[in-house]
Amino acid sequence: IILPLIALGDEVQVLDLGKLFVIAIAFSLVASSIYIFNDLQDLPADKLDIVKSKRPFAAGEITEKEGKVVGTVLLFIGFLTIFQTIGYNKPHVLLLTCIYLFSNLLYSRFNLKKIRIVGLAIVGLGFAIRFSIGTFVLGLSFSTWAFVLILQLAMFMLSGKRFQTSLRESSSRRQDSGLQFWLLSMVIFAAFFAATYSGFIADPEVVAVWGKEALIISTLPLGLGLVRFVELVNHPEKYLEFDATETMSKDFLLILLVTVFAIILFLG
């Protein structure tokens, strides 16, 4: 949600910044209510997973009743805050938030993750929706490039998470839920992302903003970052101890590569 700020450059206003952070927090409350509902739906399966069994509901630290109450309160406060904060483009932001809410509720209620590609698309779409909300809050034009790139990157990373879950299931001698499928899915979405990014950096309008040299150089940390994520997902020990997203948020090398990528574009 905050990422579209980079498009404003030195034109960013304090009011825009404050409004964007408020919307980011409000949307997080809405998203958190969905995560609670999703965890309650997945409770039986989570109790059998080596890593997910440590989550509050699966570990019995929070009751289902408490979770439902907290989830309802977060949902109400989140929507109320969004409604009160947005000035222009309010219909767009509320519509996108509702699409995010209902698509994820359907995902949880009907266990759409069993239909692998449908579940992947719904969760990946959520990240592209977040970016679009930030775009509309700032009053910027919708970016098709950014929407598609974020969607593809999200599906690449989600495929990695699913692959890691399959590794844990295989190690615990449970039914193999598709190691080869998720590995191939990860490779395919990485290839699509790379192809789309190549088109992105060749777009004359994009070059005019970021600079040709910076965009070309940015492919180096970006490519290394993708490979590093694959390495973390396939780590022979860590997949039994941590979830992929938890590992990547603590990995020094991956954080360094993301930082270098951001600095290159900033200088451009």
Side-chain angles (χ1 to χ4, degrees):
I1 290 177
I2 297 174
L3 189 60
L5 266 179
I6 61 175
L8 287 179
D10 56 4
E11 296 178 6
V12 63
Q13 302 292 320
V14 175
L15 183 62
D16 293 329
L17 191 61
K19 186 181 293 184
L20 199 62
F21 274 102
V22 170
I23 295 300
I25 293 171
F27 186 87
S28 295
L29 297 180
V30 174
S32 295
S33 70
I34 297 170
Y35 290 139
I36 289 173
F37 182 73
N38 185 49
D39 273 6
L40 290 174
Q41 290 289 117
D42 293 344
L43 197 55
D46 286 353
K47 289 181 178 179
L48 300 175
D49 190 277
I50 298 173
V51 174
K52 294 179 181 179
S53 60
K54 299 174 184 177
R55 291 178 176 178
F57 290 116
E61 297 173 5
I62 303 176
T63 66
E64 291 186 44
K65 184 178 179 180
E66 290 171 337
K68 291 176 181 177
V69 171
V70 172
T72 303
V73 171
L74 292 178
L75 185 63
F76 176 77
I77 295 175
F79 263 101
L80 181 63
T81 304
I82 292 173
F83 185 82
Q84 293 292 332
T85 305
I86 297 296
Y88 45 82
N89 282 332
K90 181 181 290 186
H92 297 84
V93 175
L94 288 173
L95 177 62
L96 285 172
T97 306
C98 287
I99 291 173
Y100 177 86
L101 173 65
F102 289 113
S103 62
N104 279 275
L105 287 176
L106 289 174
Y107 171 84
S108 299
R109 180 66 180 84
F110 297 103
N111 202 13
L112 293 179
K113 68 173 64 177
K114 288 185 176 179
I115 309 175
R116 293 167 179 167
I117 194 64
V118 174
L120 197 65
I122 289 175
V123 179
L125 183 64
F127 292 93
I129 285 176
R130 287 172 169 89
F131 180 86
S132 300
I133 286 175
T135 299
F136 286 123
V137 170
L138 292 173
L140 299 171
S141 300
F142 178 80
S143 173
T144 305
W145 277 121
F147 187 88
V148 174
L149 280 168
I150 291 172
L151 179 59
Q152 290 176 342
L153 182 61
M155 289 196 286
F156 159 74
M157 294 173 66
L158 288 165
S159 296
K161 282 192 66 174
R162 299 286 187 266
F163 175 75
Q164 199 175 59
T165 300
S166 295
L167 279 175
R168 289 199 296 267
E169 291 176 350
S170 298
S171 66
S172 60
R173 297 184 180 180
R174 291 168 58 197
Q175 184 179 0
D176 182 3
S177 58
L179 278 171
Q180 289 185 337
F181 175 86
W182 291 119
L183 182 59
L184 288 172
S185 176
M186 187 164 48
V187 171
I188 289 170
F189 281 118
F192 270 111
F193 176 79
T196 304
Y197 192 77
S198 297
F200 171 73
I201 65 175
D203 189 315
E205 292 184 8
V206 175
V207 173
V209 175
W210 302 106
K212 182 179 179 180
E213 290 77 13
L215 288 169
I216 293 174
I217 295 173
S218 71
T219 60
L220 295 174
L222 184 62
L224 289 172
L226 294 176
V227 173
R228 178 58 178 171
F229 179 78
V230 173
E231 185 180 13
L232 292 175
V233 167
N234 285 278
H235 195 283
E237 297 176 359
K238 288 186 177 180
Y239 74 89
L240 290 174
E241 302 173 7
F242 303 103
D243 188 79
T245 49
E246 185 179 352
T247 303
M248 65 177 282
S249 65
K250 298 176 181 179
D251 184 69
F252 173 77
L253 182 55
L254 189 56
I255 294 172
L256 178 63
L257 288 168
V258 172
T259 304
V260 170
F261 175 79
I263 291 173
I264 290 171
L265 289 186
F266 176 77
L267 292 176

